[in-house]
Amino acid sequence: MIWLISFFFKFRLTKETVMVLLPLIEGLLEFPIETNQCISPISQLLTALRYYATGSHLDSIADYMGMHSTTAVRIIPKVSRAIASLYSRFVKLPVTEDERSKAMRNFYDIARFPHVIGAIDCTHVKIVSPGGTDAEVFRNRKSYFSINVQGICDANMKFINVVARWPGSSHDATIFNMSNMPTYFEDNRFPNSILLGDSGYPCRNYLLTPLPNPRTEAEQLYNQSHIRTRNKIECCFGILKRRFPVLAYGCRLKLQNSLSVIVAVTVLHNLARDMNESVPDADEERDIQDLSDLIANGNIPNVPPNDNAVGPATSGMQFRSQLVTEYFATLHD
């Protein structure tokens, strides 16, 4: 039992989950010929998992795994690309009516917000300077180099969509507007469905944001329900970074390899959720409870209006007002 616990904390996944993952990528990791003491697929996978679990220098990862540092340099991007290739299998939007209905019920059970199929937000992943003439576009407002990663999750804190290619200086609203999501909703691929985002996003009839200055009881109830429901994506990112600290400490790889790592760990996160894996650090659960207590006490902070909103914001605001008037005004705790 002690050995099993040690394995989990060293690689952030249990042995059972690793053995489920291995056959899915083994063919991409095997060498064509068994010469020169080839590194086995399982050793390659564990090398990458150790990197995700620590974010350490590659020399340290190589020493831990008993290989040369140049071998680790080749293995980690290779394994990351192999895992990232499973994206469409593990990160899926609710495209069918049954999937959307299930997603809506799960979100509704949180705080009675109707028609929600996803919560959206962005998070920054620290990287080393990519160099070149465009390096400064990767410097974010906190003055470090990063990738601004957009994620959408369901009520079970599984990612249903991830966009990991934009430099740190990119605004959250820009990333959303340039993604496929607006087109999907405007083409009615997700009828009668909405996303919830913070005030950094434009308010649209399929992406609702908090009210900047709630005055009536119905408006306050809307904001409370919105924050409690949208909090799932905050928790999802928190769990992702606690499980794979490479995202929190910084990815010391070339830019393209860093993007592969980001996508790979979101795939692993969803696999871990499917396997009912525990979260390595319990602090996240305390953070969730603290926010829930804050909301329960009515201490909802006001959010500033979004000055960067683009697109059909007026119809979004009208839809939001209609939802407050016709739905939240009728709710009673």
Side-chain angles (χ1 to χ4, degrees):
M1 180 61 69
I2 294 177
W3 187 86
L4 291 175
I5 294 174
S6 176
F7 184 95
F8 177 76
F9 280 98
K10 287 177 179 177
F11 300 104
R12 289 304 200 264
L13 296 174
T14 62
K15 286 182 63 180
E16 290 75 16
T17 300
V18 170
M19 296 313 295
V20 168
L21 173 64
L22 181 61
L24 302 179
I25 61 173
E26 193 169 15
L28 299 174
L29 304 181
E30 291 177 334
F31 289 92
I33 54 176
E34 295 290 339
T35 60
N36 298 327
Q37 297 181 332
C38 296
I39 307 297
S40 66
I42 183 62
S43 294
Q44 295 180 56
L45 175 56
L46 293 178
T47 299
L49 291 178
R50 182 62 180 171
Y51 176 69
Y52 305 156
T54 62
S56 297
H57 288 282
L58 296 184
D59 284 343
S60 299
I61 300 296
D63 289 344
Y64 184 85
M65 297 302 299
M67 63 181 64
H68 195 275
S69 59
T70 57
T71 304
V73 169
R74 294 192 299 270
I75 283 177
I76 294 171
K78 179 182 178 182
V79 176
S80 298
R81 290 191 296 270
I83 298 174
S85 70
L86 302 174
Y87 176 89
S88 60
R89 178 169 180 167
F90 288 96
V91 183
K92 297 182 290 186
L93 290 162
V95 293
T96 68
E97 184 176 353
D98 287 343
E99 289 173 342
R100 290 193 299 273
S101 296
K102 181 179 179 181
M104 291 179 192
R105 287 196 301 270
N106 290 339
F107 272 114
Y108 182 84
D109 290 341
I110 298 172
R112 293 190 288 177
F113 207 109
H115 304 300
V116 179
I117 63 168
I120 185 171
D121 201 3
C122 287
T123 190
H124 287 268
V125 174
K126 186 178 181 181
I127 61 171
V128 295
S129 172
T133 57
D134 296 329
E136 284 303 309
V137 300
F138 289 87
R139 192 184 297 276
N140 62 27
R141 59 186 176 84
K142 294 186 178 180
S143 298
Y144 64 85
F145 295 100
S146 70
I147 299 295
N148 196 5
V149 181
Q150 175 181 282
I152 305 175
C153 78
D154 61 18
N156 297 318
M157 292 185 288
K158 287 179 58 180
F159 288 103
I160 60 175
N161 183 262
V162 175
V163 177
R165 61 176 179 268
W166 287 82
S169 62
S170 304
H171 193 278
D172 294 1
T174 300
I175 298 174
F176 176 76
N177 291 328
M178 297 301 292
S179 71
N180 291 327
M181 297 310 298
T183 301
Y184 289 163
F185 277 95
E186 289 164 12
D187 289 346
N188 204 32
R189 290 184 59 177
F190 305 108
N192 201 30
S193 305
I194 59 176
L195 300 174
L196 296 185
D198 62 21
S199 57
Y201 290 97
C203 184
R204 298 180 178 176
N205 55 12
Y206 52 81
L207 173 57
L208 295 184
T209 58
L211 290 161
N213 295 294
R215 295 182 176 85
T216 67
E217 183 178 352
E219 289 176 344
Q220 292 174 354
L221 187 58
Y222 167 89
N223 266 16
Q224 291 174 6
S225 180
H226 186 288
I227 292 173
R228 289 181 62 183
T229 306
R230 194 192 67 83
N231 184 47
K232 286 297 180 180
I233 186 61
E234 302 282 356
C235 299
C236 191
F237 277 133
I239 291 173
L240 178 69
K241 290 187 175 183
R242 290 177 190 278
R243 185 180 297 281
F244 302 112
V246 65
L247 299 186
Y249 300 151
C251 196
R252 302 183 184 93
L253 299 175
K254 292 181 180 180
L255 177 59
Q256 195 59 43
N257 293 335
S258 295
L259 300 182
S260 296
V261 168
I262 294 169
V263 176
V265 296
T266 59
V267 170
L268 295 179
H269 168 87
N270 279 10
L271 174 60
R273 302 297 292 180
D274 288 340
M275 297 291 291
N276 295 317
E277 295 259 357
S278 59
V279 181
D281 194 330
D283 289 345
E284 179 66 25
E285 299 301 325
R286 290 196 292 271
D287 294 342
I288 297 171
Q289 186 59 47
D290 289 344
L291 180 57
S292 297
D293 292 343
L294 180 70
I295 295 169
N297 293 331
N299 300 317
I300 307 299
N302 286 335
V303 292
N306 173 34
D307 295 328
N308 298 301
V310 294
T314 303
S315 61
M317 293 178 183
Q318 291 174 345
F319 176 71
R320 183 174 62 185
S321 298
Q322 182 180 0
L323 188 65
V324 171
T325 303
E326 298 181 1
Y327 176 75
F328 284 97
T330 65
L331 291 182
H332 299 283
D333 292 330

